[in-house]
């Protein structure tokens, strides 16, 4: 269902769906009806397989509710939208309402709210309403940031087929209803950078000749542009729209005939932005880790002494404190780029905006990606490599593929094209095989059927090895696709590629496979996701408890569906177990390294070090303090075995580190996804949305976990033989270790 969830996320970031209205007339009870027999001040995108309308027979209160319905063919999302432009002084905003559902089986129903631009967002992805349910109240709570808020957008959504009703909505700020009018309005003063709309309709920039000299000059410009953006006090204060200042300098810059003219254009450009005051604290030494602040790049371009001195003067007197274009999140301190504009209304940006996209991304990575020093490529060379790729993109698809490729070069499993990649999704197709296939023993193996009833018509059995798809070998397909599947390491990349190898725009594809040591060819029927009980990465049975006793007296805990209320009972029920197994071959539903982790600690225990960026010295990273896992008086002293694999990612890896800190713990399985730590979102022109691991995650001894992942103490992987026999060989090994 994650594929459909991502579609929902994309739609929420389309600004055109939003509109503004007076907060006292939000019509949250749907009682005011317009001439189209739809609630006043509400919009919806119902189309195709979806309908949305008033209902006067099924209501929670009043005369009307709103009902959304998706038929059996519904495989996308229907969104109801409203918004308001007023901004309030407050810490938290809560959007609540009643939901009733019927036959929501393949997706979910929920409320959603977004604070623009990119301040906060929730769409009940992890706690959506499923199945058939009676009226029940749900709520979303977001942290407010009035100084960065333009407007607040909210509504309801239905992902996939089924039916949902919503009614009796309410929005409160710090517990006060916004419809009562007794909350203080916050009038945010716009920065000059926000008021400059000169190039909103296009950059008017074109590149007629991309020879080697032009590319070298554009490489230099991109680095100077990004350096000024994050270091110059006037630019950091938001006094200029730095996107549009790029478009203002480019026409003259592209006309230069030699390096002397080039350097003069750049030097005069820098002089334009006021005199920089002397910084008394900028040269104080701060011990950093990982990537270093480095100005050596300026030496590679044979620039004039005047330009070099200008760059060094900016650095030695660089901005201190708030920066319009970047800040650090509270508490965790990963970078926040929410001031960047997405330019949603140009899905295929013109040449100037495509260059801006590249410059923006390269510089964000250069100054604020804590793992830049461990990418496969020297990041300093990447900008020049991609200038022709971005500028020569002739279609929206080519632009998305260029973006996807550079995103892959940061070697971060968190970094993918999570939004805006419409053409890439169209290219990959909407039809899927009825079974899950994964890489086992370096072969592409059928591991499970989404719908067992389709096994006979599909012919391939669990354990069969697929060798070719549409006449192309699996190795050829993997090699050709790898650059478009961003990942920290090979296991995570193969995990993601395996989801799409049998995906197509055709509903029948030819596959060659080996079954019972015999080669076979079959024309495999593919299905839409609405026809399959499809899951990604791992299954989650939400109706089962997250803990149980197995093999007589061994405790088993899965984090896939763990809840905070389970933890006291886990400690009670498993205290006398011979050993405990924690299965993290999944994405944890709840963050439990402290609440459950304390059960295994006899003393306060360090388990992680975290690096964060420095907006006062962009490119530098320093360690921050992290709480210890608290001790428990009645801690569990038996064996603890932690299960991990390539599906263990991000929060799962972090929590595996926490449990590993127990003196009796052992980790078994295979290398994890290698993408730990809180993510930071990056928006690129055309509404492309990606992320990076925004903080560096290390073991207490300084060992980096990015890319390497959580390396097991004992490596044990599934085998084809075990899959055929229905065994979980990793779990069996864990039981064996406890029973030794």
């Amino acid at each position: 269902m994650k594929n459909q969830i991502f579609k929902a996320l994309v739609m929420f970031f389309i600004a055109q769906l939003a509109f503004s209205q007076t907060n006292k007339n939000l019509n949250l009870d749907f009682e005011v009806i317009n001439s189209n027999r739809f609630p006043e001040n509400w919009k919806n995108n119902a189309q195709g397989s979806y309908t949305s309308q008033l209902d006067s027979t099924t209501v929670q209160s009043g005369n009307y509710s709103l009902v959304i319905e998706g038929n059996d063919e519904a495989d996308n999302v229907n969104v109801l939208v409203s918004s308001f432009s007023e901004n309030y002084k407050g810490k938290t905003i809560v959007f609540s309402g009643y939901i009733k559902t019927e036959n929501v089986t393949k997706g979910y129903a929920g409320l959603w709210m977004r604070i623009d631009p990119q301040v906060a967002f929730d769409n009940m992805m992890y706690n959506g309403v499923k199945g058939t349910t009676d009226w029940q109240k749900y709520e979303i709570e977001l942290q407010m940031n009035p100084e960065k808020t333009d407007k607040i957008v909210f509504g309801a959504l239905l992902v996939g087929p089924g039916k949902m009703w919503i009614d009796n909505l309410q929005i409160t700020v710090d517990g006060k209803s916004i419809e009562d009018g007794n909350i203080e309005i916050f009038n945010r003063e716009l920065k000059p950078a926000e008021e400059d709309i000169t190039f909103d309709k296009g950059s008017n920039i074109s590149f007629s000749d991309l020879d080697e000299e032009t590319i070298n000059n554009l490489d230099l410009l991109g680095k100077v542009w990004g350096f000024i953006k994050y270091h110059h006090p006037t630019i950091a204060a938001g006094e200029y729209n730095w996107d549009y200042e790029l478009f203002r300098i480019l026409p003259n810059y592209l006309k230069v005939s030699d390096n002397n003219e080039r350097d003069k254009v750049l030097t005069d450009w820098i002089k334009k932005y006021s005199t920089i005051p002397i910084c008394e604290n900028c040269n104080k030494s701060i011990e950093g880790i990982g990537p270093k602040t480095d100005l050596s790049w300026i030496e590679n371009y044979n620039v004039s002494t005047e330009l070099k001195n200008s760059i060094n003067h900016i650095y030695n007197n660089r901005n201190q404190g708030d920066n319009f274009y970047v800040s650090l999140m509270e508490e965790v301190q990963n970078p926040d780029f929410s001031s960047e504009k997405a330019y949603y209304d140009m899905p295929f940006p013109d040449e100037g905006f495509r260059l801006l996209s590249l410059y923006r991304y390269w510089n964000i990575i250069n100054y604020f990606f804590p793992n830049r020093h461990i990418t496969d490529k020297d990041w300093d060379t990447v900008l020049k490599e991609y200038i022709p790729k971005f500028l020569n993109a002739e279609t929206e698809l080519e632009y998305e593929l260029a973006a996807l490729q550079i995103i892959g070069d940061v070697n971060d499993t968190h970094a993918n094209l999570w939004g805006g990649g419409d053409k890439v999704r169209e290219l990959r197709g909407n039809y899927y095989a009825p079974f899950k296939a994964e890489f086992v023993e370096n072969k592409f193996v059928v591991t499970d059927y989404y719908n067992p009833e389709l096994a006979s018509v599909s012919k391939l059995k669990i354990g069969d090895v697929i060798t070719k798809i549409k006449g192309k070998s699996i190795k050829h397909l993997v090699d050709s696709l790898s650059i478009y599947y961003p990942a920290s390491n090979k296991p995570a990349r193969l995990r993601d590629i395996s989801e799409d190898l049998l995906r197509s725009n055709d509903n029948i594809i030819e596959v060659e496979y080996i079954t019972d040591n015999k080669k076979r060819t079959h024309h495999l029927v593919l299905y839409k996701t609405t026809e399959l009980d499809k899951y990604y990465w791992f299954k989650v049975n939400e109706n089962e408890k997250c803990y149980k006793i197995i093999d007589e007296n061994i405790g088993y805990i899965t984090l896939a569906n763990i809840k905070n209320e389970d933890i006291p009972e886990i400690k009670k029920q498993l205290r006398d177990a011979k050993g405990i197994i924690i299965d993290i071959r999944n994405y944890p539903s709840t963050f439990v390294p402290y609440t459950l982790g304390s059960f295994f600690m006899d003393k306060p225990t360090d388990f992680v070090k975290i690096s964060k960026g420095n907006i006062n010295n962009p490119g530098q990273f320093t360690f921050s303090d992290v709480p210890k896992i608290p001790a428990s008086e009645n801690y569990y002293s038996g064996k603890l075995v932690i299960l991990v694999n390539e599906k263990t990612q991000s929060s799962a890896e972090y929590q595996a580190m926490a449990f590993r800190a127990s003196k009796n713990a052992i980790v078994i399985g295979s290398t994890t996804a290698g993408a730990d730590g809180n993510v930071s979102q990056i928006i690129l022109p055309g509404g492309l949305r990606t992320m990076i691991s925004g903080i560096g995650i290390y073991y207490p001894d300084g060992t980096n976990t990015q890319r390497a992942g959580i390396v097991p103490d004992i490596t044990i992987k599934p085998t084809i033989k075990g899959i055929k026999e229905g065994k979980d060989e990793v779990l069996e090994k864990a039981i064996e270790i406890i029973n030794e």
Side-chain angles (χ1 to χ4, degrees):
M1 209 57 226
K2 286 187 178 178
N3 184 51
Q4 296 180 31
I5 290 169
F6 286 142
K7 288 182 181 179
L9 280 167
V10 171
M11 298 198 69
F12 293 147
F13 279 90
I14 298 177
Q16 288 87 337
L17 283 176
F19 60 99
S20 299
Q21 58 181 302
T22 304
N23 295 9
K24 294 181 181 179
N25 301 310
L26 291 178
N27 197 20
L28 297 178
D29 55 6
F30 312 124
E31 298 300 297
V32 181
I33 312 303
N34 62 25
S35 58
N36 296 318
R37 293 293 299 166
F38 203 75
E40 191 72 35
N41 298 325
W42 285 85
K43 290 184 179 180
N44 79 99
N45 73 324
Q47 55 186 326
S49 304
Y50 291 94
T51 59
S52 180
Q53 59 190 2
L54 285 166
D55 190 333
S56 60
T57 59
T58 304
V59 297
Q60 195 277 328
S61 65
N63 297 313
Y64 299 103
S65 69
L66 257 180
V67 58
I68 309 173
E69 185 170 8
N71 63 30
D72 291 342
E73 297 298 316
D75 63 350
N76 205 296
V77 57
N78 187 82
V79 184
L80 287 169
V81 185
S82 188
S83 68
F84 51 87
S85 57
E86 284 93 336
N87 195 3
Y88 294 110
K89 288 185 177 180
K91 295 182 178 180
T92 61
I93 184 168
V94 174
F95 174 38
S96 63
Y98 287 83
I99 296 176
K100 174 183 170 71
T101 61
E102 183 178 291
N103 297 326
V104 179
T105 55
K106 296 183 181 296
Y108 72 93
L111 305 174
W112 66 272
M113 175 173 275
R114 185 186 74 217
I115 304 178
D116 287 340
Q118 307 170 56
V119 174
F121 174 72
D122 191 352
N123 68 347
M124 292 181 62
M125 180 192 302
Y126 300 110
N127 59 342
V129 188
K130 300 179 181 180
T132 298
T133 64
D134 203 353
W135 288 110
Q136 186 171 337
K137 189 175 183 179
Y138 299 88
E139 69 177 38
I140 285 172
E141 179 177 314
L142 299 180
Q143 299 302 306
M144 302 178 70
N145 189 341
E147 294 184 354
K148 288 191 173 183
T149 298
D150 287 340
K151 62 184 173 185
I152 298 176
V153 192
F154 60 94
L157 78 162
L158 175 65
V159 182
K163 197 172 184 179
M164 72 173 293
W165 292 261
I166 58 169
D167 200 358
N168 197 10
L169 306 178
Q170 185 180 32
I171 299 176
T172 61
V173 173
D174 293 343
K176 299 178 181 178
S177 172
I178 65 171
E179 293 183 297
D180 293 342
N182 58 354
I183 307 172
E184 185 176 357
I185 297 279
F186 182 87
N187 293 312
R188 185 169 76 88
E189 183 177 350
L190 294 180
K191 298 282 189 179
E194 299 172 279
E195 296 180 312
D196 183 356
I197 60 173
T198 307
F199 298 96
D200 281 6
K201 300 300 182 182
S203 70
N204 300 318
I205 302 294
S206 61
F207 300 85
S208 56
D209 185 14
L210 272 185
D211 57 23
E212 187 66 21
E213 183 179 5
T214 301
I215 293 172
N216 284 335
N217 286 345
L218 290 174
D219 184 42
L220 172 61
L221 176 62
K223 291 173 181 175
V224 172
W225 177 87
F227 172 81
I228 296 173
K229 177 178 182 177
Y230 293 123
H231 292 82
H232 197 297
T234 302
I235 308 307
E239 293 299 313
Y240 292 88
N241 183 328
W242 203 234
D243 291 356
Y244 291 176
E245 292 302 294
L246 173 64
F247 301 150
R248 291 186 171 100
I249 190 181
L250 269 169
N252 287 334
Y253 189 77
L254 292 173
K255 293 175 184 176
V256 301
S257 58
D258 57 34
N259 287 355
N260 289 331
E261 285 187 23
R262 178 199 67 186
D263 294 353
K264 186 177 188 311
V265 169
L266 291 175
T267 304
D268 290 345
W269 189 43
I270 292 172
K271 290 178 181 177
K272 172 183 174 181
Y273 301 109
S274 74
T275 302
I276 301 176
I278 299 300
C279 175
E280 301 293 342
N281 299 317
C282 287
N283 290 322
K284 288 184 178 179
S285 177
I286 301 175
E287 185 177 352
I289 57 167
K292 309 294 183 185
T293 300
D294 185 5
L295 295 181
S296 64
W297 54 270
I298 199 68
E299 303 290 345
N300 300 329
Y301 297 93
N302 190 29
V303 303
S304 67
T305 300
E306 186 178 10
L307 177 57
K308 191 183 304 182
N309 289 341
S310 295
I311 295 293
N312 282 313
H313 179 69
I314 293 172
Y315 179 73
N316 291 329
N317 300 282
R318 61 191 175 274
N319 182 70
Q320 301 291 289
D322 292 344
N323 189 311
F324 176 74
Y325 291 101
V326 62
S327 59
L328 298 181
M329 298 279 196
E330 292 184 12
E331 297 182 0
V332 178
Q333 303 254 289
N334 54 306
D336 174 8
F337 308 107
S338 58
S339 291
E340 300 286 8
K341 294 181 68 175
Y343 306 108
Y344 288 109
D345 56 349
M346 50 177 77
F348 180 45
D350 64 35
E351 291 175 65
F353 275 96
R354 295 203 299 277
L355 185 66
L356 168 65
S357 180
L358 175 60
Y359 282 3
R360 180 188 293 179
Y361 187 77
W362 187 90
N363 282 285
I364 284 175
I365 300 301
N366 193 55
Y367 292 111
F368 295 103
F369 182 46
N371 304 299
R372 188 198 73 221
H373 60 301
I374 55 173
T375 57
D376 288 340
K377 291 182 179 178
D378 177 356
W379 192 249
D380 192 57
T381 68
V382 170
L383 180 58
K384 181 178 178 180
E385 175 189 347
Y386 278 90
I387 287 171
K389 291 181 180 179
F390 272 69
L391 294 184
N392 291 333
E394 296 183 351
T395 64
E396 185 179 346
L397 174 62
E398 289 183 11
Y399 170 57
E400 291 177 8
L401 290 174
L404 190 55
Q405 195 172 343
I406 193 173
I407 289 168
D409 282 343
V410 304
N411 304 124
D412 184 357
T413 310
H414 276 144
N416 211 313
L417 194 54
W418 298 117
D422 301 350
K423 299 303 179 184
V424 171
R425 288 193 298 277
E426 288 177 15
L427 177 67
R428 291 173 176 171
N430 295 316
Y431 290 94
Y432 296 81
F435 51 75
K436 189 172 189 62
E438 300 174 272
F439 285 93
V440 181
E441 297 184 291
N442 296 316
K443 296 177 180 179
F444 195 45
V445 181
V446 179
T447 57
D448 191 23
Y449 262 88
Y450 301 121
N451 297 59
E453 68 273 13
L454 297 176
S456 59
V457 67
S458 299
K459 290 192 176 181
L460 282 77
K461 304 193 301 290
I462 292 176
D464 286 353
V465 177
I466 300 171
T467 56
K468 290 184 179 181
I469 300 171
K470 296 183 180 180
K472 296 180 179 179
S473 71
I474 298 301
K475 182 182 185 305
H476 170 82
L477 291 170
V478 169
D479 290 345
S480 61
L481 292 172
S482 288
I483 60 173
Y484 302 115
Y485 283 80
S488 302
N489 53 39
K490 185 176 180 180
R493 180 173 291 108
L494 289 178
R495 177 200 71 189
D496 292 346
I497 289 176
S498 69
E499 294 290 347
D500 288 341
L501 282 178
L502 291 166
R503 180 179 174 182
S504 177
N505 282 306
D506 303 317
N507 65 347
I508 298 177
I509 59 172
E510 182 181 88
V511 296
E512 296 180 33
Y513 64 102
I514 298 173
T515 182
D516 300 327
N517 296 318
K518 297 177 182 178
K519 293 183 179 180
R520 293 281 187 267
T521 300
H522 178 55
H523 287 85
L524 179 67
V525 177
L526 306 185
Y527 302 84
K528 290 186 176 181
T529 52
T530 53
E531 301 173 276
L532 300 173
D533 295 325
K534 185 165 172 48
Y535 63 92
Y536 289 73
W537 296 8
F538 53 86
K539 286 182 179 178
V540 178
N541 189 336
E542 297 174 348
N543 296 320
E544 283 188 2
K545 285 186 177 181
C546 68
Y547 62 94
K548 59 186 175 182
I549 296 293
I550 61 174
D551 197 63
E552 296 184 1
N553 192 30
I554 294 176
Y556 172 86
I557 305 167
T558 175
L559 299 194
N561 58 345
I562 194 169
K563 300 178 179 64
N564 281 319
E565 52 264 34
D566 295 327
I567 293 175
E569 197 63 23
I570 287 173
K571 293 178 178 180
K572 178 181 177 181
Q573 297 293 332
L574 304 187
R575 182 170 303 282
D576 297 324
K578 182 192 302 184
I580 293 178
I581 298 167
I582 299 182
D583 195 341
I584 323 182
R585 296 172 296 175
N586 49 56
Y587 192 86
S589 61
T590 304
F591 189 72
V592 296
Y594 298 101
T595 52
L596 181 58
S598 63
F599 184 43
F600 303 99
M601 307 299 167
D602 63 341
K603 60 182 179 181
T605 304
D606 290 316
F607 73 99
V608 66
K609 293 176 76 173
I610 294 177
S611 72
K612 62 178 182 179
N614 184 354
I615 60 174
N616 292 331
N617 192 12
Q620 184 186 54
F621 296 82
T622 56
F623 281 128
S624 59
D625 295 331
V626 180
K628 299 175 184 285
I629 301 174
S632 174
E633 290 184 7
N634 298 312
Y635 74 94
Y636 179 79
S637 59
K639 292 181 180 179
L640 174 63
V641 183
I642 303 153
L643 313 186
V644 299
N645 64 8
E646 72 280 358
K647 296 159 190 170
T648 308
Q649 178 175 322
S650 194
S651 177
E653 293 177 286
Y654 191 84
Q655 300 196 51
M657 293 174 68
F659 294 117
R660 186 179 220 168
S662 168
K663 63 182 181 182
N664 295 321
I666 183 170
V667 178
I668 74 168
S670 53
T671 301
T672 62
D676 206 342
N678 292 51
V679 296
S680 293
Q681 180 173 267
I682 301 169
I683 296 290
L684 302 177
L688 302 186
R689 185 170 60 86
T690 183
M691 298 188 297
I692 53 171
S693 302
I695 53 177
I697 301 295
Y698 299 77
Y699 283 106
D701 66 0
T703 302
N704 199 343
T705 64
Q706 182 76 10
R707 303 201 66 186
I710 309 304
V711 181
D713 299 302
I714 298 176
T715 298
I716 177 79
K717 301 178 182 179
T719 65
I720 296 174
K721 181 177 182 293
I723 287 170
K724 287 181 177 180
E725 295 173 356
K727 294 181 177 180
D728 184 341
E729 292 159 291
V730 180
L731 179 59
E732 289 180 358
K733 182 64 177 179
I735 294 171
E736 177 187 322
I737 289 170
I738 291 173
N739 284 329
E740 286 176 348

